[in-house]
Amino acid sequence: MGLVLLGRCQVERPAWARRLAAEREARQWSQAEVVAALRAHAPKPLPEGPSMVRQWKRRESGEVMPSDFYQPIIAATFGTVTHAIFPVAGLRDGNAEIVAASGMETLEIISRLQASDVDNATLEALRITTDRLCSEYPYLPGTQLAAEGRQWLKRVAGLQSQRLTLAQHREVLTLSGWLALLIGCVDYDVGDRAAAESTRKAALSLAHEAGNTEIAGWAHEMRAWFALTTGDYRGILAASRAGTKAAPTHGVAVQLAAQEAKGWARLGDRRQTEVALDRSRKLLEGMPYPENLDHHFVVDPAKFDFYAMDCYRLLGEDRFAENLAHEVIRAGTDFDGSERSPMRMAEARITLGVVAARQGDLDQAVNYGEWALKGNRQSLPSLLMVSRELAAIVNRDFAAEPTGREYLDHLTALSRTS
């Protein structure tokens, strides 16, 4: 189980080494074949002879980590980005950053706002507070996060009635735009589509007023997400293209291309799916590694695996989808077993359920499907959308089985509640 023998000691292989083996096996390649594939993706000729195969074996065993030269070649060979396989640790403490940047605790920020005492230190504290709220999106209960977001949006919006410099006014509009995006996402998660769309439009308006193309890009990305979960697949393509036009050089362009790939996958166009996925991968590979992996409006390398998993599941590439689902779960699990990315992990479990159902294993399929529905932090539209894929297979192949019927009834009840 991921162990290799070194001398007389058993050593756990590092995650990157296990993934190299899993990616190769998902493609049913021999080690010689993976070396041949590396040559095809390398920017210059690689060494000839059996030494490359020996080196690959050492990598898969975890004995030797690939160098900086080989890491992007390996990632491109497996259709992902470097830091999805070879991650970089990112540790941040949002509350400590607020104090470090401004010397103020949250209560002091609020008191200064109430006293109309706005300076650059206060605005910096508000920037970091907004960043912290966006970083709590993956795990904080939706109703709690929405309430906190609205409170801070009200405080920030109130600054517009004060005397501000042009730069400060633009910063207030920008902070309001980020908070509106966050609130809109949470509104949609809990099933309030009307509120989510209104807030999304407000964020887009704030982006235009502030001249912030990145916020505008994310507002279009939200529209693509809404279209995805409502079955408007052509709408996904239109929103993705509008967002890419608005923010072609920002990280959101990565996610817009990935959303486009998800749209093409649902339309059954394999070629366009792979073109969009590859464009997303190349954009992300060329961007600096993000400082804050938890920030909802940052596209981290693990998120690319999440989007690719969805596309491969729709295309029926079960080995690729299953492999990526395990990676999404591994990347989203903290050292103590807690889930850092419960919403991504829920969709990964449904993917494993879909693969199991296609293979005729109803019990495993339903176990994964039910597990995905148990999380406290959910995005109901996305969760139900993917769950219906599993339900369609269960209904087609196992509707007469009590286990299958119970799962379908549970999903129907959840859909009515939402």
Side-chain angles (χ1 to χ4, degrees), residues 235-314:
I236 302 172
L237 306 182
S240 296
R241 289 163 182 165
T244 301
K245 183 178 179 180
T249 61
H250 290 288
V252 65
V254 175
Q255 191 149 320
L256 286 161
Q259 292 283 26
E260 185 178 334
K262 293 173 80 168
W264 284 120
R266 282 161 174 79
L267 288 167
D269 192 324
R270 183 189 185 93
R271 179 179 175 278
Q272 292 293 347
T273 300
E274 292 177 340
V275 167
L277 267 183
D278 194 54
R279 185 168 74 252
S280 177
R281 184 191 68 79
K282 288 177 178 176
L283 283 169
L284 183 55
E285 190 69 272
M287 292 180 178
Y289 193 76
E291 292 182 7
N292 183 2
L293 297 177
D294 292 326
H295 197 293
H296 183 54
F297 301 109
V298 167
V299 183
D300 62 283
K303 203 170 190 177
F304 178 83
D305 284 345
F306 171 71
Y307 278 95
M309 173 196 75
D310 180 272
C311 293
Y312 285 129
R313 186 188 66 249
L314 266 295

Side-chain angles (χ1 to χ4, degrees), residues 63-133:
E63 184 181 347
V64 175
M65 186 173 187
S67 66
D68 290 344
F69 171 75
Y70 278 103
Q71 286 182 14
I73 298 173
I74 292 169
T77 299
F78 292 140
T80 187
V81 290
T82 301
H83 294 304
I85 301 179
F86 309 101
V88 177
L91 299 174
R92 294 187 59 177
D93 183 339
N95 289 322
E97 288 181 2
I98 295 173
V99 178
S102 63
M104 287 183 280
E105 299 281 359
T106 300
L107 289 177
E108 186 180 351
I109 300 171
I110 295 172
S111 66
R112 292 187 69 162
L113 293 175
Q114 291 172 337
S116 301
D117 185 7
V118 180
D119 56 16
N120 289 334
T122 305
L123 287 175
E124 177 65 10
L126 288 172
R127 277 194 292 271
I128 297 174
T129 299
T130 300
D131 184 82
R132 177 181 60 80
L133 288 169

Side-chain angles (χ1 to χ4, degrees), residues 57-371:
K57 291 179 179 178
R58 296 178 70 198
R59 290 168 182 155
E60 280 197 14
S61 71
E63 184 181 347
V64 175
M65 186 173 187
S67 66
D68 290 344
F69 171 75
Y70 278 103
Q71 286 182 14
I73 298 173
I74 292 169
T77 299
F78 292 140
T80 187
V81 290
T82 301
H83 294 304
I85 301 179
F86 309 101
V88 177
L91 299 174
R92 294 187 59 177
D93 183 339
N95 289 322
E97 288 181 2
I98 295 173
V99 178
S102 63
M104 287 183 280
E105 299 281 359
T106 300
L107 289 177
E108 186 180 351
I109 300 171
I110 295 172
S111 66
R112 292 187 69 162
L113 293 175
Q114 291 172 337
S116 301
D117 185 7
V118 180
D119 56 16
N120 289 334
T122 305
L123 287 175
E124 177 65 10
L126 288 172
R127 277 194 292 271
I128 297 174
T129 299
T130 300
D131 184 82
R132 177 181 60 80
L133 288 169
C134 291
S135 301
E136 291 175 340
Y137 174 85
Y139 53 84
L140 202 66
T143 53
Q144 179 184 344
L145 184 57
E148 289 190 28
R150 287 190 177 91
Q151 288 174 355
W152 281 105
L153 179 57
K154 184 177 180 180
R155 291 163 185 154
V156 172
L159 296 177
Q160 295 191 61
S161 63
Q162 301 181 25
R163 296 181 61 182
L164 302 171
T165 66
L166 182 61
Q168 288 176 330
H169 178 65
R170 185 178 293 113
E171 182 65 22
V172 167
L173 292 172
T174 296
L175 291 172
S176 299
W178 286 120
L179 288 168
L181 287 174
L182 177 65
I183 294 165
C185 287
V186 178
D187 282 341
Y188 200 71
D189 285 339
V190 299
D192 193 342
R193 294 181 179 178
E197 176 60 13
S198 296
T199 311
R200 185 195 72 81
K201 289 179 177 177
L204 185 59
S205 177
L206 288 164
H208 290 157
E209 192 173 352
N212 190 303
T213 56
E214 186 176 13
I215 292 176
W218 280 109
H220 288 295
E221 192 278 335
M222 285 175 65
R223 180 178 157 224
W225 173 34
F226 297 173
L228 173 70
T229 56
T230 55
D232 179 13
Y233 303 142
R234 293 291 175 183
I236 302 172
L237 306 182
S240 296
R241 289 163 182 165
T244 301
K245 183 178 179 180
T249 61
H250 290 288
V252 65
V254 175
Q255 191 149 320
L256 286 161
Q259 292 283 26
E260 185 178 334
K262 293 173 80 168
W264 284 120
R266 282 161 174 79
L267 288 167
D269 192 324
R270 183 189 185 93
R271 179 179 175 278
Q272 292 293 347
T273 300
E274 292 177 340
V275 167
L277 267 183
D278 194 54
R279 185 168 74 252
S280 177
R281 184 191 68 79
K282 288 177 178 176
L283 283 169
L284 183 55
E285 190 69 272
M287 292 180 178
Y289 193 76
E291 292 182 7
N292 183 2
L293 297 177
D294 292 326
H295 197 293
H296 183 54
F297 301 109
V298 167
V299 183
D300 62 283
K303 203 170 190 177
F304 178 83
D305 284 345
F306 171 71
Y307 278 95
M309 173 196 75
D310 180 272
C311 293
Y312 285 129
R313 186 188 66 249
L314 266 295
L315 294 176
E317 292 285 357
D318 288 349
R319 292 195 308 275
F320 294 173
E322 182 180 17
N323 185 50
L324 288 171
H326 286 302
E327 284 300 317
V328 169
I329 292 170
R330 183 195 61 78
T333 305
D334 220 331
F335 68 93
D336 60 357
S338 60
E339 297 186 358
R340 292 195 308 270
S341 307
M343 290 178 284
R344 291 188 206 175
M345 294 170 73
E347 292 191 34
R349 289 183 178 116
I350 295 171
T351 294
L352 294 174
V354 168
V355 172
R358 287 172 178 166
Q359 294 172 347
D361 191 337
L362 174 63
D363 288 339
Q364 188 172 29
V366 170
N367 284 340
Y368 277 124
E370 290 286 2
W371 193 355

